[in-house]
Amino acid sequence: MSSETSIEASFWKRAARFRALVPVMVAICVIGTGNSLLTTSVSLRLSQPGIDPGVVQLLLTGFPIGFLAGCLAARLLVARLGHRVAFLAVSFLAAFAGFGYMATAATPVWLVLRFLSGFSMAVLFVVSESWINHYADERNRGAYFSLYMMMTSLAVLFGQLLVEAAGPHSPHLFLMGALTITAGTLYCRFVGRPWPGLPMRPVRPLQADVTAADQRYGLWKLAVLAPVTIIAVFQAGMTNMNVFALTPLYGAKIALPAWTTIGLVTAFSMGGMLAQTPVGWLSDRLDRRWMLLVQGILAAALCAAIILLANHYVPLLFVLFFLYGATALTIYPVGIAFANSQIDSRHMVSASGGLLLLYSIGNVMTPGIAAGLMDYVAPYALFIMLGSGAALVSVGACFNLRRKAVTQIMEATPDGLASGVNQ
C-alpha cells in the first residue's frame, strides 16, 4: 500500500470515529443547555425581594452537594449499567427535577430537587469524560476533549440566550429547562445512533514489587508534584458555581436590571467558549506553569476592575465579564493538562477522579460562603473571593516554577511516577 493510500485510509478512519462521537456531543450540549437554564431560573427566583438569606444559602448548596454525591456514585453506576444507560438514566432524573420546580415552591422540596439536579449533572459529566477517555486514543484525545469542553460552554451560552429570549421574569423558564433536558435525552435514546463500542484495551497488571495502594495516585501525591493543579481545580469549581449561580443575586443587590445580569453571565460564558481553542493550542506549545501564572494574575486583576466599576460603567462591565470568562474558564483545562503531563499513564484515572472530587468540593463549600459575604459585608465580596482564588493560582504556579525540571526528577527516580516533559 502506498504512503498516500495509507494516509487517506487513516484520515477516513479518524473521520469515521469523529462522526460516531457527534451524537454524544449533541446530547451533552442539549441537556447542558436545559441545566444552565434551570440554574439561572433558580437564581433569578431567589433574587426576588423578601426571600430569607438563610433559605438562599441553603438552596445554593443543594446543587453542589448533589454534584459531590454524583461524583462518588458515577463509577458504580457505570459499572452496573454501562456508559450509555447510565447517561440516559441520570438525564431522565435531571428532567424529572426540572419539572418538579413547577409543582411547588416549598424550600425542602426545592432543596431535594437541587440535590437531584447536581447529582444528575455530575454523573452525566463523569460518564461522558470517562467514555471519551476510553474511546479516544493518544492521537485524538485532546481534540475530543476540546470538542467536549466546547459543547459544555455552548450549553451554558445557549441557556442564557434562552433566558434572554423568554425574559428573566417569564413564568415558563422552568418548563423550558425541563423540556430542553427531555429533548436531549430523547435525542440520545431514539435519534442519535448507539454510542460506538469501546475498544478492548489490555489491562496492565500490577508490578510484583508495587502494592495496589502504591498504584493509586491520591490528591496528596499530586499536591506535592503539582500544587498549581490542586489550586486551579478548586478555583475552577468555585468560579463556575459562583458566577453562574450568584451573578443574578449580585446584580439585584447593586440595582442592575435583570436583563443586564443575564447579559453579564452570557458574556462570561461566551468569553470562556471562544478562548478554549486558542488557549488549548498555546498550552501545547508554551510552559503551562507560566500560562497559569499569567492567567491567575489577569483573572485577579479583572475581578478588581469589576469591583471598582460595579454599576458605574455598565457597557465596560460586559467587556470585563467577557475577558474574565476567557481567563478564568480556561485555567481548569491548562491545570489538568499540566498534571497529566507530570504523571504516569497508569495513574491518570485515579488522579482524575480525585481532581473531580476536588472540583465538586469547590462547588459545595463556596456558594453559601459567598452568599453570606455578599449579604453581611458587601455585594462585591463575591469578586473579592473569586479574585483571591485566582491570585492563589499564580502563587501555585510560582511554586511549581521553582521546582527542578521534571526530566531531572525522572532520571533520579526509577519508579517513573513522572512521565511527561511537555509543560
Side-chain angles (χ1 to χ4, degrees):
M1 179 182 294
S2 65
S3 59
E4 292 82 1
T5 305
S6 177
I7 294 174
E8 182 179 358
S10 178
F11 169 80
W12 287 113
K13 182 179 179 181
R14 290 195 300 269
R17 290 175 67 88
F18 179 82
R19 287 195 303 270
L21 194 67
V22 169
V24 183
M25 296 300 179
V26 172
I28 292 170
C29 184
V30 177
I31 295 171
T33 297
N35 177 70
S36 173
L37 200 160
L38 288 176
T39 299
T40 303
S41 301
V42 171
S43 298
L44 288 171
R45 184 69 62 88
L46 295 179
S47 66
Q48 294 178 357
I51 298 181
D52 185 357
V55 172
V56 174
Q57 295 184 40
L58 178 64
L59 292 179
L60 286 176
T61 58
F63 185 96
I65 291 175
F67 195 94
L68 177 60
C71 292
L72 296 172
R75 290 179 180 272
L76 177 62
L77 288 175
V78 172
R80 293 285 182 86
L81 305 175
H83 288 81
R84 188 167 185 255
V85 175
F87 186 98
L88 290 171
V90 297
S91 299
F92 278 116
L93 183 61
F96 168 79
F99 286 113
Y101 288 114
M102 298 180 291
T104 178
T107 298
V109 177
W110 272 39
L111 181 62
V112 173
L113 295 176
R114 291 279 291 166
F115 178 89
L116 293 178
S117 296
F119 179 90
S120 301
M121 296 310 298
V123 175
L124 187 147
F125 290 147
V126 173
V127 168
S128 301
E129 294 179 13
S130 172
W131 185 85
I132 293 172
N133 193 52
H134 283 82
Y135 179 69
D137 56 36
E138 294 301 327
R139 294 170 297 178
N140 52 33
R141 180 172 287 111
Y144 288 172
F145 270 98
S146 177
L147 177 62
Y148 165 76
M149 295 188 68
M150 181 68 71
M151 291 298 102
T152 57
S153 299
L154 280 173
V156 174
L157 176 60
F158 289 157
Q160 306 311 308
L161 293 177
L162 285 175
V163 173
E164 293 183 8
H169 303 294
S170 171
H172 306 299
L173 290 179
F174 289 114
L175 177 61
M176 292 171 56
L179 289 177
T180 303
I181 295 176
T182 303
T185 306
L186 294 177
Y187 169 85
C188 184
R189 174 61 180 86
F190 297 107
V191 181
R193 292 168 297 179
W195 289 22
L198 294 173
M200 297 298 295
R201 302 185 187 278
V203 178
R204 182 175 179 178
L206 292 175
Q207 300 176 18
D209 56 342
V210 179
T211 65
D214 291 332
Q215 289 284 329
R216 294 193 294 269
Y217 206 84
L219 286 177
W220 175 249
K221 289 183 179 180
L222 191 58
V224 173
L225 180 65
V228 65
T229 294
I230 298 294
I231 300 172
V233 170
F234 184 85
Q235 181 270 346
M238 176 176 67
T239 301
N240 290 2
M241 177 57 66
N242 283 281
V243 171
F244 292 124
L246 294 181
T247 297
L249 290 175
Y250 169 78
K253 288 180 180 294
I254 63 174
L256 288 177
W259 285 97
T260 301
T261 58
I262 297 301
L264 292 176
V265 175
T266 303
F268 177 81
S269 304
M270 188 174 295
M273 179 193 68
L274 296 177
Q276 291 293 342
T277 299
V279 170
W281 183 84
L282 286 173
S283 70
D284 288 334
R285 290 158 177 80
L286 302 177
D287 191 323
R288 295 188 179 102
R289 296 168 298 178
W290 281 105
M291 287 191 64
L292 290 167
L293 174 63
V294 173
Q295 287 174 293
I297 292 174
L298 287 177
L302 288 166
C303 285
I306 291 172
I307 293 171
L308 294 175
L309 288 173
N311 58 342
H312 300 298
Y313 305 97
V314 174
L316 186 55
L317 201 58
F318 279 89
V319 177
L320 292 174
F321 266 77
F322 178 89
L323 295 175
Y324 180 53
T327 306
L329 292 180
T330 53
I331 288 177
Y332 177 82
V334 176
I336 292 294
F338 174 71
N340 286 338
S341 70
Q342 305 303 297
I343 61 179
D344 189 85
S345 60
R346 71 179 184 272
H347 296 300
M348 285 185 179
V349 174
S350 178
S352 296
L355 289 173
L356 189 58
L357 282 175
L358 182 64
Y359 178 92
S360 63
I361 290 172
N363 275 252
V364 171
M365 290 179 57
T366 56
I369 296 174
L373 291 174
M374 291 171 64
D375 193 59
Y376 296 109
V377 179
Y380 58 77
L382 168 65
F383 291 97
I384 292 178
M385 187 180 74
L386 296 179
S388 300
L392 285 176
V393 173
S394 296
V395 173
C398 290
F399 188 83
N400 265 114
L401 283 167
R402 292 176 60 86
R403 294 286 187 84
K404 295 181 179 181
V406 175
T407 52
Q408 295 178 355
I409 298 177
M410 290 176 59
E411 293 171 357
T413 56
D415 57 0
L417 290 181
S419 63
V421 296
N422 180 20
Q423 307 296 319

